[in-house]
Amino acid sequence: MFRHHDRGRVRILRGQLNQIILEIIKDKPRHGYDVIKGIEETFHGLYAPSAGSVYPILQALEDQGFVTSSQESGKKVYSITADGKRELKENKDKFSDMREHLRKHFNDLGGYRDLMGEMGQTMQFVSGKLREKGAPTPEMVRKLRLAMVDFKGAVEDILRDQKRK
């Protein structure tokens, strides 16, 4: 989701990811994919770490005794331990500072969050309409693809014009 100009934001988050993961797991036990989704929800879709970032951290947190894991329905589910809660509590100020820093960083994005929300609503709208109509015909698929190409082109034009200013 983030491009070259957003890598700084990703690095900021990645550096604090273990604390964020502990905070997410504190609320309820979660499997790895659910942790990723929880982080994405926490940051309103502006950041979702990769599985390649999350799973090694989960393993490291388990090795440190901050989380435990169990198998449930074929998935490895992680729960915070007393040591993990203590770690969160000891780093509460650092976590609050990080949260405030990230909040300010993301607020600097202006209407970006709203735009992402609108894009999500559009996707839900399209999905709902497709479910209502049943299996799409080849002609419908072709027209929808053309509409997406037009949309992508319009977005590229807007972004290209913005770079010139």
Side-chain angles (χ1 to χ4, degrees):
M1 178 170 81
F2 290 109
R3 300 282 185 243
H4 64 282
H5 63 279
D6 290 316
R7 283 193 183 129
R9 255 179 234 105
V10 174
R11 269 194 297 270
I12 290 167
L13 290 169
R14 209 172 272 150
Q16 303 297 328
L17 203 48
N18 25 352
Q19 290 293 313
I20 295 168
I21 289 171
L22 283 174
E23 187 72 26
I24 295 291
I25 293 174
K26 178 188 78 171
D27 297 333
K28 68 178 183 179
R30 296 179 183 246
H31 56 82
Y33 179 74
D34 198 25
V35 169
I36 293 168
K37 286 293 162 199
I39 293 169
E40 187 175 15
E41 289 168 14
T42 297
F43 292 101
H44 307 287
L46 295 174
Y47 175 69
S50 69
S53 297
V54 170
Y55 286 103
I57 291 172
L58 285 167
Q59 184 60 57
L61 291 171
E62 188 170 22
D63 293 345
Q64 294 169 319
F66 296 148
V67 301
T68 59
S69 66
S70 60
Q71 288 287 340
E72 293 180 21
S73 303
K75 295 179 182 177
K76 197 171 189 179
V77 176
Y78 298 88
S79 303
I80 194 165
T81 63
D83 286 344
K85 288 178 184 175
R86 198 168 17 264
E87 173 74 7
L88 274 178
K89 192 173 183 178
E90 288 172 6
N91 289 296
K92 183 177 155 192
D93 291 339
K94 188 191 314 180
F95 189 71
S96 294
D97 291 346
M98 178 215 37
R99 226 187 221 162
E100 187 55 37
H101 178 74
L102 292 173
R103 187 174 290 121
K104 182 186 176 313
H105 220 62
F106 284 125
N107 282 340
D108 290 345
L109 293 173
Y112 186 76
R113 181 181 308 179
D114 294 335
L115 178 62
M116 292 297 105
E118 290 170 13
M119 287 176 62
Q121 290 170 0
T122 300
M123 289 301 300
Q124 288 176 347
F125 170 80
V126 170
S127 295
K129 289 297 181 184
L130 288 172
R131 278 192 303 274
E132 279 178 22
K133 298 288 181 189
T137 65
E139 180 63 12
M140 186 189 306
V141 170
R142 187 184 71 71
K143 286 181 179 179
L144 288 169
R145 283 191 171 148
L146 287 172
M148 285 188 283
V149 167
D150 289 344
F151 174 74
K152 287 177 188 176
V155 168
E156 287 173 348
D157 289 346
I158 291 167
L159 295 175
R160 187 175 31 257
D161 289 345
Q162 180 65 28
K163 283 182 183 178
R164 290 182 188 148
K165 292 180 180 181

